[in-house]
C-alpha cells in the first residue's frame, strides 16, 4: 500500500528535531579541542600550504606534492576560508567542513528514507528514526567532529544512491529512464571519487546496484535444479574459502575471520543459480541499462583523471602505488573481527536496531520491497567487500553507517506499529536516548575531551613556545625522530623532520638525516629550535636518547653547538601519549673575526 505523502508540518518538525540533534552533536565547541589526530592534521596542513601557494590543484606538504588523497577536503576548507575572508584555512574551516558533511548526510538520509520506504503507512517515521540514529551514531559523530576525510564520502554516497534509486524507481514505475536521477548519481560518484579516490565508490556501487541485483534475483523462484545446486555451491565456496583462510589461523580472532570469509563466499555462491532463472538476466540488463553502472564508474575515473591530467604522471603513479600497497590487503583474517565490532557499536542505537532488523528480515520474513533491498545491500555488501579487500580499518567503513541506520530505522518503525497502544512510551524512550546521546557526545567533544586530553595536541606547547621572551623564529623549528603535521599547523610554518636512526613516524616524503639539520648551522648563524622526546624512544630502548645523540654527534662538537633546554610550561606527548616532548635550542658559537 502506498503511504500518504508526509505533511509539511511533519517534515518541518522532523527537520527541526534533526537540526537540533546535529547542532549539539556536531557543532557545539567546534574548535575547543586542538588538533590531535594525524589524519586531521595532514588535511589542515596541506590546505594551508595550498592557500599560501595560491594553488588549489596540487596538495603539498613542505612544498612537495602530497597526492595520497584527492582534493575535495582541501577545496572545502579553502572555499570556507575564502567566504569568511580568512587568508588561510584554520582548524575552524576543517571542523566546519566535516560537521557540515555530517549534517548534509543526516538530512539526505531523511529524505532518501522517505522515498525508499514510501510503501510504509507513514514513511516519514522510519526515515526520521534512520536519520536520528545516524546523527547520534558513535563513529559517525566522531568523524563529524574530527577532520578525517571519510565523512565526506557519506553525503556523496547518499547522493549517488539516491540518484540510482530515483532512476530505478522510474524504471519500475513507468519503464522510463530518469535522467535527473542518473545525473544526481553521476554527481555523487564524482564527489565520492574526489573525496577519496576509487575506494570511495565501492559503497554506493554496492548499495545501489547491489540492491537492484538482489531484488531482481530474489523476486523469481529458483530455477529447476537450482534448489539442489545452491547448497552445493554454498558448500563448495565455503570449503574453498575456509581452506585458503584456515591455513593462516593463529588465534581465535583469525578463526572468526576465516569463518566469516567462508560464510560470505558460500552465501554469495549460493545465490548464483538464481541468475539463471527465466528472464532474470534480461531484467537485470534492462534495470542496469536504465541506471547506468558503467557510466558511474566512468564518471568517477574521468573525474580523477581530470584532476591529475596536468600533473607529473610518475608522481601520480607512485602515489597510486603507495595507497594501493598500504590499503589493498586481501583476506586479512583480523579484518572481519574489526568489521563485526563496527557493526556492534559504531552506529550506536542504529547498531542495536540494525542487528534486530537483520533478525526480523531473516526470521520474520516480511515482504522486502525494492527500497528495502537498497538499505539491505548498503548495510551488508560493502562490509563484506571491505573485510575481504582491506585491513578492517573502521573509519573506512563510515560510509556504510547510513545503510545500517536505514535497516535499524525500518525495524524500529515496524516495532512501533506492532506495539500499537504502547507505541508512545517506546517513542518517548527512544527520543530520550537519542537526546542523551546527542548531549553526551556534544559535551564530550565540545568540552570534556580537551579538559582530559589537552596534552594530546601540540596547541598549548606551541603557544608556550611562541612567548615573546623566548624569541623563537617559527621558520627555524625542526624535529628529530618524530613529526606530526600538527607541528606545521601550530607553528604556522613547515617544521621539517630529521632522523638519526630508522624511524617509524609517518611522513609523506624522504626524511633527511641529522647531518642535513646540523651542517647549515655555521658559526654565527641563527639558533635552531629542535623538538625531541624527553626520554628514550619506547620502540628503541637500546638506543641513546635524542638529546644524547645530539650531544654526541661529531658535527655538534665540530661546529661548537651549545644545546640549551627551553622552558616550556605545556605538556605534549607522543608514543600513544606516553612520552613528553621537549624543545632545545641549538646555538652556534659566534664567528671569530
Amino acid at each position: 500500500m502506498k503511504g500518504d505523502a508526509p505533511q509539511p508540518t511533519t517534515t518541518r518538525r522532523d527537520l527541526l528535531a534533526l537540526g537540533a540533534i546535529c547542532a549539539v552533536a556536531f557543532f557545539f565547541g567546534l574548535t575547543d579541542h586542538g588538533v590531535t589526530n594525524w589524519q586531521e592534521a595532514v588535511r589542515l596542513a596541506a590546505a594551508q600550504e595550498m592557500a599560501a601557494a595560491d594553488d588549489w590543484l596540487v596538495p603539498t606538504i613542505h612544498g612537495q606534492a602530497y597526492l595520497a588523497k584527492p582534493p575535495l577536503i582541501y577545496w572545502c576548507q579553502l572555499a570556507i576560508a575564502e567566504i569568511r575572508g580568512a587568508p588561510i584555512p584554520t582548524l575552524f574551516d576543517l571542523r566546519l567542513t566535516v560537521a557540515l558533511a555530517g549534517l548534509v548526510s543526516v538530512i539526505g538520509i531523511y529524505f532518501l528514507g522517505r522515498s525508499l520506504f514510501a510503501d510504509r503507512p507513514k514513511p516519514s517515521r522510519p526515515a526520521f528514526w534512520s536519520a536520528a540514529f545516524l546523527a547520534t551514531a558513535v563513529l559517525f559523530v566522531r568523524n563529524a567532529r574530527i577532520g578525517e576525510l571519510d565523512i565526506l564520502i557519506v553525503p556523496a554516497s547518499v547522493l549517488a544512491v539516491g540518484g540510482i534509486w530515483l532512476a530505478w524507481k522510474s524504471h519500475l514505475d513507468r519503464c522510463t529512464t530518469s535522467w535527473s536521477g542518473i545525473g544526481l548519481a553521476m554527481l555523487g560518484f564524482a564527489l565520492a571519487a574526489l573525496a577519496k579516490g576509487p575506494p570511495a565508490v565501492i559503497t554506493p556501487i554496492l548499495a545501489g546496484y547491489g540492491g537492484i541485483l538482489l531484488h531482481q534475483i530474489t523476486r523469481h523462484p529458483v530455477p529447476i535444479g537450482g534448489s539442489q545446486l545452491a547448497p552445493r555451491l554454498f558448500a563448495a565456496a565455503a570449503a574453498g574459502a575456509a581452506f585458503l583462510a584456515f591455513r593462516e589461523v593463529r588465534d581465535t580472532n583469525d578463526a572468526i575471520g576465516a569463518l566469516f570469509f567462508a560464510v560470505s563466499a558460500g552465501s554469495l555462491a549460493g545465490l548464483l543459480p538464481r541468475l539463471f532463472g527465466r528472464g532474470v538476466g534480461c531484467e537485470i540488463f534492462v534495470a542496469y541499462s536504465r541506471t547506468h553502472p558503467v557510466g558511474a564508474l566512468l564518471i568517477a575515473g574521468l573525474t580523477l583523471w581530470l584532476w591529475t591530467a596536468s600533473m607529473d604522471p610518475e608522481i601520480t603513479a607512485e602515489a597510486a602505488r603507495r595507497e594501493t600497497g598500504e590499503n589493498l590487503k586481501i583476506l586479512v583474517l583480523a579484518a572481519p573481527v574489526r568489521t563485526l565490532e563496527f557493526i556492534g557499536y559504531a552506529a550506536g542505537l542504529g547498531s542495536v536496531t540494525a542487528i534486530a532488523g537483520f533478525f526480523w528480515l531473516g526470521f520474520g520474513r516480511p515482504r522486502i520491497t525494492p527500497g528495502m533491498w537498497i538499505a539491505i545491500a548498503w548495510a551488508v555488501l560493502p562490509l563484506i567487500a571491505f573485510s575481504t579487500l582491506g585491513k578492517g580499518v573502521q573509519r573506512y567503513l563510515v560510509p556504510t553507517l547510513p545503510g545500517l541506520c536505514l535497516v535499524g530505522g525500518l525495524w524500529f518503525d515496524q516495532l512501533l506499529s506492532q506495539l500499537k497502544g504502547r507505541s508512545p512510551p517506546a517513542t518517548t524512550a527512544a527520543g530520550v536516548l537519542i537526546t542523551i546521546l546527542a548531549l553526551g557526545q556534544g559535551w564530550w567533544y565540545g568540552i570534556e575531551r580537551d579538559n582530559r586530553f589537552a596534552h594530546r595536541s601540540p596547541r598549548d606547547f606551541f603557544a608556550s613556545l611562541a612567548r615573546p621572551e623566548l624569541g623563537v623564529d617559527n621558520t627555524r623549528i625542526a624535529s628529530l625522530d618524530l613529526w606530526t603535521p600538527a607541528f606545521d599547523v601550530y607553528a604556522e610554518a613547515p617544521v621539517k623532520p630529521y632522523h638519526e636512526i630508522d624511524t617509524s613516524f609517518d611522513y609523506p616524503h624522504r626524511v633527511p638525516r641529522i647531518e642535513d639539520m646540523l651542517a647549515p648551522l655555521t658559526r654565527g648563524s641563527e639558533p635552531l629550535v629542535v623538538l625531541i622526546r624527553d626520554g628514550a624512544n619506547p620502540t628503541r630502548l637500546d638506543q641513546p636518547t635524542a638529546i644524547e645523540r645530539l650531544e654526541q654527534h661529531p658535527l655538534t662538537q665540530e661546529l661548537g653547538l651549545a644545546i640549551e633546554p627551553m622552558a616550556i610550561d605545556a605538556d605534549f606527548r607522543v608514543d600513544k601519549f606516553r612520552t613528553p616532548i621537549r624543545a632545545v635550542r641549538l646555538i652556534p658559537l659566534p664567528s671569530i673575526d
Side-chain angles (χ1 to χ4, degrees), residues 24 48 94 120 124 154 170 185 197 200 208 212 272 317 334 337 383 418 427 502-503 518 537 556:
V24 174
Q48 290 179 336
L94 177 56
R120 305 290 296 178
S124 61
V154 182
S170 175
I212 294 174
L272 289 177
V337 175
L383 292 175
Q418 291 176 342
T427 302
D502 291 335
T503 56
L518 297 177
N537 186 330
T556 302

Side-chain angles (χ1 to χ4, degrees), residues 65 151 200 228 261 271 283 311 320 338 372 464 494 553 569 576:
I151 189 72
Q228 291 79 32
F261 290 136
L271 292 174
E283 289 186 4
M311 301 180 193
R338 300 183 189 121
M372 290 170 64
S464 180
H553 198 280
D569 56 4
K576 297 183 178 178

Side-chain angles (χ1 to χ4, degrees), residues 56-57 69-73 75 156 160 182-198 200-201 294-311 316:
W56 284 41
L57 184 64
K69 297 295 184 289
L72 184 60
I73 194 166
W75 289 348
I182 291 171
L184 290 175
M186 298 301 105
L187 177 60
F189 280 107
L191 291 173
L194 285 173
K196 202 177 179 179
V201 305
V294 175
L297 294 174
L298 288 176
I299 199 68
L302 178 62
T303 301
L304 293 175
W305 179 81
L306 289 173
W307 171 55
T308 60
S310 62
M311 301 180 193
T316 56

Side-chain angles (χ1 to χ4, degrees), residues 504-521:
S504 59
F505 62 87
D506 193 359
Y507 182 68
H509 313 301
R510 184 189 69 83
V511 182
R513 293 185 62 81
I514 190 172
E515 289 83 0
D516 300 303
M517 178 180 75
L518 297 177
L521 297 176

